[in-house]
Amino acid sequence: MNSLLIGELSPEQPSFEPTKNKELIDEFRELRATVEQMGLMKANHVFFLLHLLHILLLDVAAWLTLWVFGTSLVPFLLCAVMLSTVQAQAGWLQHDFGHLSVFSTSTWNHLLHHFVIGHLKGAPASWWNHMHFQHHAKPNCFGKDPDINMHPLFFALGKILSVELGKRKKKYMPYNHQHKYFFLIGPPALLPLYFQWYIFYFAIHRKKWVDLAWMITFYVRLFLTYQPLLGLKGILGLFFVVRFLESHWFVWVTQMNHIPMHIDRDRNMDWVSTQLQATCNVHKSAFNDWFSGHLNFQIEHHLFPTMPRHNYHKVAPLVQSLCAKYGIEYQSKPLLSAFADIVYSLKESGQLWLDAYLHQ
């Protein structure tokens, strides 16, 4: 870090910025030390092995469905549903490897990350790292979190930014109807119409040839296994249906923890406060944990991004106590309520934009 040192503060200068909560930071550091002493940063490799095996078994079962029962509509749709589940669950698993939360050495995490996101999903690991690390550094901070770059081109996000947009008389879309057109350009379109071409552009433009090679193995395997059964047109149809279904799964799960929360420009708050104001949880259950890849514990994930996901529920009571002590709201809600809150927050932000637009 010596190359980043530009000077030293004089003795009379405060060492902590007034916008940051020093007591909260100090206590979180103590909590972090406690968590490490409890062994909660160590992964259960059997858990992740079983998770990988269930993905691979579903992948094989999808192919066997067409091979055994033929390619009529019902087996085709059943195959598509299983492959969509494979893609979604592989997405959660690559997230674990990308966060270096499975193995103690980064080499093995990186290798498995390439295998899962590259070979099982057909996407570049470097693209995910580039996008996701920015998100974790400044969640819900406009201009710094790429996950909210849809503001203001498609959506007006957050109460503050929506009002600001209205006062500036900016109108790229009919934001007062955004909670309706979200169902058209959000869940169904993100993966098949945007991510699908952008990941190739990213890998080629940035010359990520290793990532591109991993991605190609996914498409080669898809063609070799399904072309004898479906032909080229059938493969393209299956691939689109899978990406369409996966996109719904991905969007609803990833947005339920952030879109309803505080969205604003970076106000230079301390790291812990920044994470807590941008995240909320969904109640724990066996289904919710599996369906969301344990991202229903979004608060704990953001505070401990390298923690193995199977330990989130163990640290949650400690985080709740920390929030209660400092008067920070710790939100946890049912799964369907979390989905509904996405739409409600978009509707509320759209109305705030309209009011500011008409009455400024």
Side-chain angles (χ1 to χ4, degrees):
M1 301 294 285
N2 289 334
S3 62
L4 302 178
L5 179 64
I6 61 175
E8 298 282 354
L9 287 172
S10 59
E12 68 274 9
Q13 293 295 320
S15 61
F16 214 82
E17 297 172 84
T19 56
K20 300 180 179 180
N21 191 332
K22 184 177 185 302
E23 290 75 20
L24 175 60
I25 290 294
D26 290 342
E27 188 149 349
F28 177 75
R29 286 172 176 165
E30 294 178 5
L31 174 60
R32 169 77 187 203
T34 300
V35 165
E36 291 180 349
Q37 291 173 3
M38 294 170 64
L40 297 183
M41 303 304 291
K42 296 180 180 179
N44 180 348
H45 293 157
V46 174
F47 171 88
F48 291 103
L49 175 61
L50 292 176
H51 194 75
L52 176 60
L53 288 176
H54 109 282
I55 291 171
L56 298 177
L57 287 173
L58 275 173
D59 207 353
V60 173
W63 181 84
L64 284 175
T65 299
L66 295 183
W67 186 67
V68 173
F69 298 104
T71 58
S72 59
L73 181 61
V74 173
F76 181 88
L77 292 178
L78 184 58
C79 173
V81 169
M82 285 192 283
L83 285 179
S84 301
T85 303
V86 168
Q87 290 300 299
Q89 291 299 320
W92 309 145
L93 184 59
Q94 69 82 23
H95 179 266
D96 298 315
F97 292 120
H99 273 288
L100 311 181
S101 63
V102 180
F103 297 104
S104 58
T105 59
S106 60
T107 301
W108 279 104
N109 282 300
H110 288 313
L111 178 61
L112 269 296
H113 190 211
H114 278 292
F115 171 75
V116 176
I117 194 174
H119 181 68
L120 295 184
K121 289 188 61 61
S126 57
W127 162 76
W128 183 88
N129 290 334
H130 174 73
M131 301 287 287
H132 200 66
F133 292 170
Q134 293 180 75
H135 164 69
H136 269 269
K138 294 289 183 179
N140 281 10
C141 290
F142 178 61
K144 296 186 176 181
D145 181 359
D147 286 6
I148 59 170
N149 280 349
M150 52 189 165
H151 174 95
L153 295 179
F154 293 105
F155 300 99
L157 299 178
K159 298 178 181 178
I160 296 173
L161 295 180
S162 297
V163 171
E164 179 184 288
L165 202 63
K167 289 181 177 179
R168 291 168 55 200
K169 299 294 182 179
K170 293 290 185 178
K171 183 182 181 182
Y172 299 93
M173 294 283 284
Y175 302 120
N176 49 311
H177 295 291
Q178 65 182 3
H179 58 291
K180 301 173 185 176
Y181 65 73
F182 168 77
F183 291 94
L184 297 176
I185 67 174
L190 184 64
L191 266 62
L193 298 184
Y194 177 62
F195 278 2
Q196 189 55 51
W197 71 265
Y198 182 75
I199 55 177
F200 279 96
Y201 168 80
F202 182 94
I204 295 171
H205 179 70
R206 296 187 177 235
K207 300 180 180 179
K208 301 294 184 180
W209 308 127
V210 173
D211 278 330
L212 189 61
W214 277 105
M215 294 166 63
I216 290 173
T217 65
F218 166 79
Y219 293 97
V220 169
R221 177 172 59 89
L222 183 71
F223 179 81
L224 292 178
T225 52
Y226 284 95
Q227 196 278 335
L229 298 174
L230 294 172
L232 181 59
K233 291 183 179 179
I235 291 176
L236 293 176
L238 178 65
F239 183 74
F240 178 79
V241 172
V242 169
R243 284 288 186 250
F244 176 80
L245 295 175
E246 179 199 358
S247 189
H248 282 80
W249 194 331
F250 174 80
V251 171
W252 286 105
V253 169
T254 56
Q255 299 309 305
M256 69 183 183
N257 305 112
H258 294 296
I259 290 297
M261 303 303 292
H262 182 75
I263 299 175
D264 194 5
R265 287 182 167 80
D266 185 8
R267 302 301 179 184
N268 196 35
M269 298 177 65
D270 60 85
W271 185 81
V272 177
S273 298
T274 299
Q275 305 302 318
L276 289 171
Q277 73 175 5
T279 53
C280 65
N281 281 8
V282 169
H283 296 341
K284 175 179 173 54
S285 73
F287 175 79
N288 288 353
D289 293 352
W290 173 83
F291 184 77
S292 68
H294 287 85
L295 294 181
N296 50 327
F297 287 96
Q298 193 73 207
I299 295 173
E300 288 70 27
H301 171 59
H302 267 258
L303 291 177
F304 305 95
T306 59
M307 177 180 287
R309 62 158 113 160
H310 52 71
N311 287 333
Y312 291 156
H313 72 281
K314 297 178 182 178
V315 75
L318 302 177
V319 174
Q320 291 175 30
S321 297
L322 181 68
C323 290
K325 181 175 180 178
Y326 287 91
I328 301 172
E329 185 179 10
Y330 181 101
Q331 288 192 39
S332 184
K333 60 189 75 169
L335 181 65
L336 295 182
S337 296
F339 291 164
D341 282 349
I342 299 174
V343 181
Y344 175 78
S345 66
L346 290 173
K347 182 179 181 180
E348 183 182 33
S349 297
Q351 188 60 49
L352 289 171
W353 167 83
L354 183 62
D355 292 343
Y357 186 86
L358 294 176
H359 300 109
Q360 177 61 18

